[in-house]
Amino acid sequence: MAQSKTSKTAVWILMGLLILGLGGFGATSLTGTVRSVGTVGDEDISVDDYARALQEELRALEAQTGQSLPFAQAQAFGIDRMVLSRLSTTRSLDAENKRLGISIGDENLRQELMNIPSFQGLDGSFDRDAYAFAIDQAGMNESEFEDSVREDTVRSLLQGAVVSGLVMPDVYADTVIKFVAEERDFTWSQLTADNLTTAVAAPTEAEIETFYNDNQDRFMLPATRQITYAWLSPEMIIDQVEVDEAALQKLYDERDSEFNRPERRLVERLAFADDAAAQAAMEQISAGTATFTSLVEGRGLTLSDVDLGDVTKADLGAAGEAVFLAPANGIAGPAPSNLGPALFRVNGILGAQTTTFDEAKDLLREELAAERSRRLIDTQIGNIDDLLAGGATLEELVEETDMELGILNWHPASEDDLAGYEGFRAVASAVTIDDFPQIEVLEDGGIFALRLEGETPSQPAPLEDVAEDAAAAITAERNTESLKGLIETLKPRLNDGTSFTSFGFTANEEVEMDRAAFVPGTPAEFLSEIFEMEVGELRTLDSPEGLIVVRLNAITEPATDDPEITSLKAAITAQLSSGISQDVFAAYAQALQGMYPTQINQQALNAVHVNFQ
């Protein structure tokens, strides 16, 4: 009996502890006694508001990505912190509105509610039942919802008061438009060594060596990796593959539609409601009072809307006969279609294409042999893997298989056959000296294995290998300097407007060139230089071929009465004004958060988050 009392006492103690524990949990759950996850000044951030906003954000993200997002991942993305920050900003506005005494009356609230489309019936008037149903679905009562509408409306009033009247000055948009739409007219000429009356002196060996030593960065060899590889491609064993005539005939028959194509037409179709309407349209075309294009546009359509592309006679059904009798650019119809009576315009005739078996046989044999070679390689991969696993070297591998051995000084710009494969480049760039060779599959079905033997850092190429390049560089520099001297002597006359052709220069005239234009044969910074020049100014620019001389002839300002310019200016002003308004309001909201500090109840937040996991 004593033991029974002791057991009951222990049970009651455990029940008491459980009740206390559950009480602590209930204090912060969605149905507990704590109703907020934090405060901003004297304004609460309610548990329900936070949960509702978090749910909406998650649904929006899932709709955007097309997949369900685990709450833990959403937290990793910072979704919960973003929602809480937004609610904190909202509550700081509410606190400021209360301080300023801004509110709306019942009549204004009524008007706001009646203007919400979700609460309107079929006749457009306020529907009391729809109102009650929508609020219930949102998990709110009418009092809570109406309070939220009041707060939203008052926040909008405050935000409007803060940002109203913020308009970007016209001078900013004018400056942007001037930069984008200004145009230049100029004359330019590419000068080369041919424009010099006396050839420059050839560099001596001593000058070449000095130039090489002073400019070794221009003659660097890339860092390389010494790689030994074993490689097997489908082409290497294609001679081992037999392709019989029957297999070729079967493949030809399977691809008959590729080798034998019937006659086709490029056709547009305009359908009508009935035969009378289609016939009347055809009569207008015949009389010359309308065209097929004008009929299409008159229906509010574009030519792309009525384009059928290239079609066969069979594709057109009952209209096929009439359409295929029409000449190129002719109109056929009215003729039946699956959309009703229609007119058809023939824009082009594509003749039938026939490739006989004998004509296609070589191509088919090559394709089929390559495919069978790839399959033959697939059957060898297991055996080759076993050899490597057993300790076989690459050299031993090529003795036992059809693979071929090779050595390559590899770098990212290597142009060897194997180095052209993306799969090889990926392995070659990552392999280490300690890695064992293993079979990798290439994009064309081939296979390879490689071994890193060593690495050579980037270093200057030997002088004897680049002496010609160094001599050419010296000569190019001397040509450029001589051409600059020539232009200096001619500059007084060129500045007076003398034509380039008077000096035997080719004069390239460019007009109405904006900053986005491109002039072939000029360096990348060419137009940037042009837009820094004054009218009549003469400049020279170095180029790989020698020297470019250019003279600016005219500057054309953007046409302020051009509708496109006017529209662009309005768009720039609106965009920048909106940006300023957002920045000002963001600064204002940040200041309010300083006035009304946010206090977060982390325990309540955690309880809400439990419901999302």
Side-chain angles (χ1 to χ4, degrees):
M1 188 70 177
Q3 184 179 1
S4 175
K5 288 183 178 180
T6 301
S7 298
K8 288 182 179 180
T9 302
V11 168
W12 283 111
I13 291 173
L14 290 173
M15 288 294 293
L17 293 173
L18 180 60
I19 291 170
L20 288 173
L22 291 174
F25 175 79
T28 56
S29 70
L30 294 177
T31 58
T33 57
V34 173
R35 299 298 181 185
S36 71
V37 297
T39 59
V40 181
D42 294 332
E43 299 294 320
D44 289 334
I45 303 174
S46 75
V47 168
D48 290 337
D49 284 347
Y50 176 68
R52 191 179 300 114
L54 190 55
Q55 183 66 46
E56 290 174 356
E57 193 66 36
L58 291 174
R59 286 176 179 170
L61 192 59
E62 289 173 0
Q64 183 179 359
T65 60
Q67 58 184 2
S68 179
L69 187 69
F71 185 69
Q73 190 173 356
Q75 283 185 298
F77 291 159
I79 302 298
D80 55 331
R81 296 186 294 277
M82 180 185 69
V83 169
L84 188 60
S85 176
R86 188 167 62 231
L87 289 175
S88 297
T89 300
T90 297
R91 286 309 181 202
S92 68
L93 293 172
D94 293 339
E96 180 66 0
N97 279 327
K98 184 176 291 185
R99 185 185 73 82
L100 296 174
I102 303 175
S103 64
I104 62 170
D106 292 341
E107 182 58 32
N108 288 330
L109 174 63
R110 176 179 174 277
Q111 193 62 42
E112 291 287 339
L113 295 175
M114 294 185 69
N115 289 335
I116 297 176
S118 301
F119 303 153
Q120 295 174 359
L122 296 177
D123 59 355
S125 61
F126 182 76
D127 187 328
R128 189 70 178 73
D129 292 335
Y131 173 63
F133 177 77
I135 292 175
D136 182 64
Q137 289 296 106
M140 305 173 71
N141 58 45
E142 293 185 13
S143 177
E144 291 173 337
F145 178 74
E146 290 170 5
D147 286 344
S148 71
V149 173
R150 286 182 191 273
E151 291 172 345
D152 287 341
T153 305
V154 174
R155 285 189 216 111
S156 298
L157 291 173
L158 179 59
Q159 183 173 356
V162 171
V163 302
S164 61
L166 294 175
V167 179
M168 197 69 183
D170 288 344
V171 65
Y172 191 97
D174 290 339
T175 302
V176 172
I177 290 173
K178 182 178 180 181
F179 182 86
V180 172
E182 257 192 356
E183 295 175 339
R184 299 291 191 270
D185 298 350
F186 54 90
T187 305
W188 67 281
S189 181
Q190 171 69 66
L191 306 185
T192 67
D194 294 337
N195 295 107
L196 296 173
T197 56
T198 303
V200 299
T204 64
E205 290 185 4
E207 290 173 332
I208 292 173
E209 184 175 358
T210 300
F211 184 86
Y212 168 81
N213 291 329
D214 292 342
N215 298 275
Q216 286 197 348
D217 58 319
R218 298 172 62 172
F219 306 103
M220 297 296 290
L221 294 174
T224 58
R225 316 191 90 197
Q226 288 74 55
I227 290 175
T228 300
Y229 63 85
W231 177 28
L232 180 60
S233 71
E235 289 76 13
M236 293 176 185
I237 59 171
I238 201 165
D239 293 339
Q240 302 178 26
V241 175
E242 295 184 3
V243 179
D244 56 57
E245 199 82 359
L248 292 175
Q249 183 65 56
K250 180 181 178 183
L251 184 59
Y252 176 81
D253 294 339
E254 290 173 352
R255 294 166 58 180
D256 179 72
S257 60
E258 175 185 336
F259 293 114
N260 301 292
R261 306 188 68 182
E263 189 177 1
R264 290 160 293 145
R265 296 289 188 272
L266 300 175
V267 176
E268 293 166 335
R269 177 188 62 192
L270 182 61
F272 294 86
D274 50 48
D275 289 326
Q279 186 59 46
M282 187 61 179
E283 291 172 357
Q284 292 180 52
I285 294 174
S286 299
T289 58
T291 64
F292 186 87
T293 301
S294 67
L295 291 173
V296 171
E297 294 174 347
R299 297 269 292 278
L301 302 172
T302 64
L303 291 178
S304 62
D305 295 327
V306 299
D307 187 16
L308 296 182
D310 62 293
V311 293
T312 65
K313 190 174 183 178
D315 293 335
L316 296 171
E321 188 69 31
V323 172
F324 270 66
L325 288 174
N329 299 317
I331 308 294
S337 75
N338 56 358
L339 296 179
L343 298 183
F344 297 83
R345 180 165 67 179
V346 179
N347 293 317
I349 298 176
L350 304 176
Q353 298 176 357
T354 301
T355 304
T356 66
F357 173 69
D358 287 336
E359 293 170 335
K361 189 160 50 175
D362 290 342
L363 173 64
L364 294 173
R365 178 177 283 107
E366 183 180 335
E367 292 181 8
L368 198 55
E371 177 59 32
R372 291 186 177 181
S373 296
R374 286 191 285 270
R375 274 184 265 164
L376 182 59
I377 290 175
D378 285 340
T379 64
Q380 298 184 36
I381 291 178
N383 177 52
I384 296 173
D385 272 333
D386 291 341
L387 290 172
L388 288 173
T393 65
L394 296 180
E395 290 77 9
E396 293 169 337
L397 201 63
V398 298
E399 295 177 1
E400 298 288 335
T401 69
D402 293 316
M403 301 184 79
E404 296 181 0
L405 192 70
I407 299 174
L408 174 64
N409 286 320
W410 180 85
H411 56 86
S414 295
E415 297 181 353
D416 299 73
D417 290 342
L418 185 55
Y421 291 92
E422 180 61 37
F424 177 84
R425 292 198 297 271
V427 177
S429 64
V431 66
T432 69
I433 201 83
D434 298 321
D435 290 337
F436 291 99
Q438 61 183 25
I439 291 298
E440 305 284 351
V441 180
L442 295 167
E443 300 93 288
D444 65 350
I447 57 175
F448 74 95
L450 60 79
R451 180 178 68 233
L452 181 63
E453 308 288 3
E455 297 184 72
T456 302
S458 177
Q459 58 186 330
L463 175 58
E464 56 269 22
D465 292 344
V466 295
E468 290 186 5
D469 294 334
I474 295 171
T475 300
E477 288 186 0
R478 290 178 177 178
N479 283 333
T480 299
E481 290 302 315
S482 295
L483 290 169
K484 287 180 180 179
L486 173 63
I487 295 300
E488 282 298 320
T489 62
L490 301 178
K491 185 172 285 187
R493 296 174 62 189
L494 288 170
N495 285 335
D496 288 341
T498 303
S499 172
F500 284 13
T501 57
S502 299
F503 308 104
F505 303 159
T506 300
N508 301 295
E509 301 287 344
E510 309 290 350
V511 297
E512 298 180 352
M513 304 292 284
D514 61 24
R515 293 178 188 270
F518 173 72
V519 182
T522 62
E525 68 279 5
F526 181 61
L527 277 172
S528 298
E529 289 276 350
I530 298 294
F531 275 81
E532 294 176 359
M533 295 170 61
E534 301 292 337
V535 174
E537 183 180 349
L538 190 77
R539 284 195 187 185
T540 58
L541 293 87
D542 293 350
S543 74
E545 292 76 19
L547 190 71
I548 290 177
V549 58
V550 58
R551 181 169 59 205
L552 184 62
N553 301 324
I555 297 176
T556 304
E557 300 283 345
T560 56
D561 57 347
D562 185 337
E564 186 176 349
I565 296 297
T566 303
S567 175
L568 178 61
K569 179 177 179 179
I572 292 173
T573 301
Q575 182 179 2
L576 293 173
S577 297
S578 174
I580 291 175
S581 296
Q582 292 174 9
D583 292 342
V584 169
F585 184 74
Y588 178 73
Q590 186 175 4
L592 288 182
Q593 289 178 333
M595 292 174 58
Y596 306 103
T598 300
Q599 302 292 330
I600 299 299
N601 184 338
Q602 189 61 49
Q603 192 175 9
L605 271 181
N606 294 340
V608 174
H609 293 167
V610 168
N611 290 271
F612 285 87
Q613 295 177 358

